Amino acid sequence: MINIAILASGSGSNAEKLMEYFANHSLIKITLLGSNKEEALALTKAKRMNVESWAFSNNDLKNGVVLHKLKEKKIDYIILAGFLALIPKQIIQAYPEKIINIHPSLLPNFGGKGMYGMNVHNAVKKAQKLYSGLTVHLVNEEFDQGKILFQARVKLQDLDTEENIAQKVLQLEHRYFSSVVESYCLLFAG
Ligand code: GRF
């Protein structure tokens, strides 16, 4: 089995899609859902789906506790699904090309520091873009600059509000993220 850990800080709708998608998979298992926010809905969703859930502190992330847990659980890939803390160097180095993030814009546009959640969609709206979309990319030591694995775009209308844009992008994320993760993890299997 290929073991995946999902890290999520928020509502966890992408995490939920991943847990559903891989629930009966013959090669890939969601072994752990970790969150740096005790109150994250993502944790509740994991419990409901019988996936081990684990709340940790930002300190645990920095001081090796999280890395230790990932190793103990024999995690092969880490999926960031709305995870809002910086992944420390030690974890990036322990998992080279094995950490995948989803970002709600067409990188390199609207990425980098401060570009998360509604900040992204507000900026897209302000720039009057014709399209937005999602990017699935590898995580390296540069914020939002790892290798792009997949992008999909969605057309925007003048009348779209920031909330509409967020909705459109989230739908796209739900449609594609799990299968992109699956293909990437299976690339190196067997
Ligand atoms: C998604 O838009 C994702 O691209 C971003 O954070 C959001 C998470 O949403 N990184 P959810 O928690 O999966 O609903």
Side-chain angles (χ1 to χ4, degrees):
M1 271 290 180
I2 296 169
N3 291 309
I4 288 183
I6 300 174
L7 301 183
S9 305
S11 68
S13 69
N14 279 291
E16 187 173 31
K17 290 284 168 197
L18 288 161
M19 290 186 284
E20 282 168 7
Y21 188 91
F22 291 111
N24 294 307
H25 201 282
S26 56
L27 297 169
I28 297 173
K29 182 173 177 210
I30 308 291
T31 303
L32 179 70
L33 186 140
S35 182
N36 61 334
K37 301 261 183 253
E38 250 176 78
E39 68 287 359
L41 265 179
L43 290 168
T44 318
K45 288 177 174 160
K47 280 183 204 127
R48 207 169 55 217
M49 300 194 65
N50 291 322
V51 169
E52 179 178 338
S53 61
W54 180 51
F56 54 81
S57 67
N58 285 329
N59 240 352
D60 291 338
L61 200 57
K62 290 182 207 137
N63 63 21
V65 172
V66 172
L67 180 57
H68 184 265
K69 175 87 164 182
L70 296 169
K71 291 286 173 197
E72 181 188 291
K73 291 275 153 194
K74 301 195 170 10
I75 298 301
D76 299 297
Y77 292 91
I78 303 167
I79 312 299
L80 308 181
F83 187 64
L84 295 179
L86 199 65
I87 300 294
K89 240 187 190 166
Q90 46 158 198
I91 296 185
I92 294 178
Q93 285 168 357
Y95 285 90
E97 313 226 303
K98 294 199 165 172
I99 308 176
I100 299 173
N101 184 43
I102 184 162
H103 184 85
S105 78
L106 296 167
L107 290 176
N109 297 326
F110 308 104
K113 212 169 174 7
M115 278 296 164
Y116 60 87
M118 283 309 293
N119 294 352
V120 176
H121 308 299
N122 292 339
V124 169
K125 172 75 184 166
K126 209 166 159 203
Q128 300 181 305
K129 289 289 178 189
L130 289 177
Y131 291 92
S132 190
L134 76 108
T135 303
V136 180
H137 65 94
L138 296 179
V139 172
N140 62 16
E141 287 170 31
E142 310 289 326
F143 215 58
D144 282 348
Q145 284 181 34
K147 184 178 173 197
I148 290 176
L149 300 177
F150 179 83
Q151 292 187 301
R153 65 179 195 173
V154 61
K155 189 148 177 38
L156 303 179
Q157 311 291 346
D158 285 351
L159 286 177
D160 277 334
T161 61
E162 290 81 346
E163 285 74 23
N164 293 144
I165 299 174
Q167 239 354 83
K168 283 182 169 181
V169 172
L170 195 64
Q171 269 177 20
L172 215 58
E173 295 186 335
H174 292 168
R175 182 171 334 139
Y176 291 113
F177 193 28
S178 299
S179 56
V180 173
V181 166
E182 179 184 36
S183 310
Y184 185 72
C185 294
L186 292 180
L187 259 186
F188 306 104

